[in-house]
Amino acid sequence: MTGAGADVVVIGGGVIGLACAWRIAQRGATVTVVDPAPASGASHVAAGMLAPVTEAHVGEDALLRLNFESARRWPAFAAELAASAGQDIAFEEAGTLAVAFDNDDRAALEVLATHLDALGLSVPRLRSRELRTLEPMLAPTVRSGLWAAGDHRVDPRAVTAALVGAGRRHGVTLVARRVARLDCARLDGDGDGDGRPAVRGVTLDDGQRIAARSVVLAAGAAAGRLDGLTDADRPPVRPVKGQILTV
């Protein structure tokens, strides 16, 4: 069975897939997002941290630079999205405190601070009293901490809901199905049969096919398990356990 085509099919209806769909549709392309439950999954249970400093790790300098550039663009992106969707997304430019409760925490934060110093991205080191001045609910036993003024947060559930609304206003179609496989055609300019496969659409779990000139793979932790990918194109992603408490 073959369904209607689109200029672009986006696999995955989380914050990345929905944001890509919205931006592409703004440029005049027809876009279809395929996800069994759009605006759910990992984006639904994320903490919404826009935190290049407190999420930094030694040895990931390229990722850190990318995260800083992303954080720099977020205020304008948040304002545009809220205006387009007609709803608040709870973007907060409040900064982040990284707190050490014992000597091990303190040592870990000092490693991070020293690494940031070497990159020219120094953040203030704070003593217990300074921390409790900024956040009075902290216990007097806190040892030390870092103040990352440029680390912010957003409500990820509000963001994905806004992206669904903004996308629909620009003609994005949401298909609540799972992609069974990528549909590929082999590009073989010299006729020797060893050309690189080019994606020409997707087949859904109900057998429907959606043809597309381009496919965006934004399926998160499931992206590497999709049928139709070559080993060279299979992204090395995996799920990682996390914890969140919403109060």
Side-chain angles (χ1 to χ4, degrees), residues 41-130:
S43 294
H44 193 67
V45 294
M49 296 169 64
L50 308 172
V53 170
T54 49
E55 289 286 285
H57 297 282
V58 176
E60 296 184 348
D61 297 353
L63 178 60
L64 177 61
R65 289 190 294 272
L66 176 65
N67 288 344
F68 265 108
E69 180 61 21
S70 175
R72 184 184 69 80
R73 297 183 181 205
W74 249 97
F77 175 80
E80 183 185 354
L81 175 58
S84 179
Q87 65 184 82
D88 181 50
I89 62 170
F91 175 67
E92 299 177 7
E93 297 182 88
T96 297
L97 284 175
V99 178
F101 288 96
D102 55 32
N103 287 334
D104 288 342
D105 289 346
R106 190 181 215 172
L109 287 184
E110 183 56 34
V111 169
L112 173 59
T114 300
H115 178 59
L116 293 172
D117 288 343
L119 296 175
L121 303 169
S122 299
V123 294
R125 295 166 170 84
L126 303 180
R127 294 172 294 184
S128 177
R129 182 173 296 179
E130 294 170 313

Side-chain angles (χ1 to χ4, degrees), residues 163-243:
L163 285 169
V164 168
R168 281 177 169 156
R169 289 187 180 187
H170 283 85
V172 173
T173 300
L174 299 179
V175 176
R177 305 295 309 187
R178 190 178 304 278
V179 171
R181 69 174 183 273
L182 298 175
D183 296 331
C184 300
R186 189 166 294 279
L187 299 179
D188 188 17
D190 56 9
D192 61 3
D194 62 354
R196 184 179 181 83
V199 179
R200 290 292 180 257
V202 298
T203 296
L204 309 185
D205 54 4
D206 63 353
Q208 179 183 357
R209 182 176 182 272
I210 303 176
R213 292 190 298 169
S214 299
V215 174
V216 177
L217 180 55
R225 302 195 297 270
L226 190 63
D227 287 345
L229 286 169
T230 66
D231 290 340
D233 294 326
R234 198 171 299 280
V237 294
R238 61 183 176 83
V240 177
K241 182 180 179 181
Q243 300 82 30

